Amino acid sequence: MLKPLADKIVVKPDVRELSSVLFVDNKEVENMGTVVAVGPGKKINANKRDAMPVEVGARIRFGTMNDDHGEEYLKYFPYYEDGVKYLVMSWQDVCFIEEHEN
């Protein structure tokens, strides 16, 4: 597994189940997933780092990249390990963290 640096996180995106009866040409990209690794945060100075607002196990929704990458601000990329897709991104690409009421 990857160990992210600075403000990066590794997310396992949710895989959407498509119908096996109907052919669906689904061009939507993943935008929900679970955080599986978190970096230590960006360095502020030699002895201090920014706190990371996300933690391992959090379910998140993140921004998606459009087809025109020329003006895209999101800078995450896919990483595959043992056939499983992960996304490496900055925590700043996270739109919200899903919280469950107890």
Side-chain angles (χ1 to χ4, degrees):
M1 176 52 69
L2 292 176
K3 180 179 178 181
L5 302 175
D7 71 335
K8 302 297 186 230
I9 63 174
V10 179
V11 176
K12 183 175 183 217
D14 292 346
V15 177
R16 295 183 181 179
E17 295 292 325
L18 299 178
S19 171
S20 60
V21 177
L22 301 172
F23 174 75
V24 178
D25 188 14
N26 187 358
K27 296 186 192 252
E28 293 181 24
V29 295
E30 307 95 350
N31 66 352
M32 293 285 293
T34 303
V35 177
V36 295
V38 175
K42 278 191 176 181
K43 271 192 173 183
I44 297 173
N45 59 40
N47 299 322
K48 187 165 170 115
R49 291 185 178 269
D50 273 340
M52 292 291 282
V54 283
E55 52 190 41
V56 172
R59 280 211 14 96
I60 61 168
R61 180 176 297 265
F62 48 91
T64 58
M65 294 179 24
N66 63 21
D67 292 335
D68 179 19
H69 298 291
E71 296 182 23
E72 187 58 58
Y73 71 97
L74 299 172
K75 303 294 182 201
Y76 59 84
F77 60 92
Y79 167 77
Y80 294 88
E81 186 173 287
D82 297 329
V84 178
K85 182 179 181 178
Y86 298 93
L87 301 173
V88 180
M89 66 181 71
S90 169
W91 74 263
Q92 295 171 346
D93 292 331
V94 175
C95 298
F96 65 80
I97 299 170
E98 195 175 89
E99 293 185 357
H100 296 283
E101 294 182 25
N102 291 334

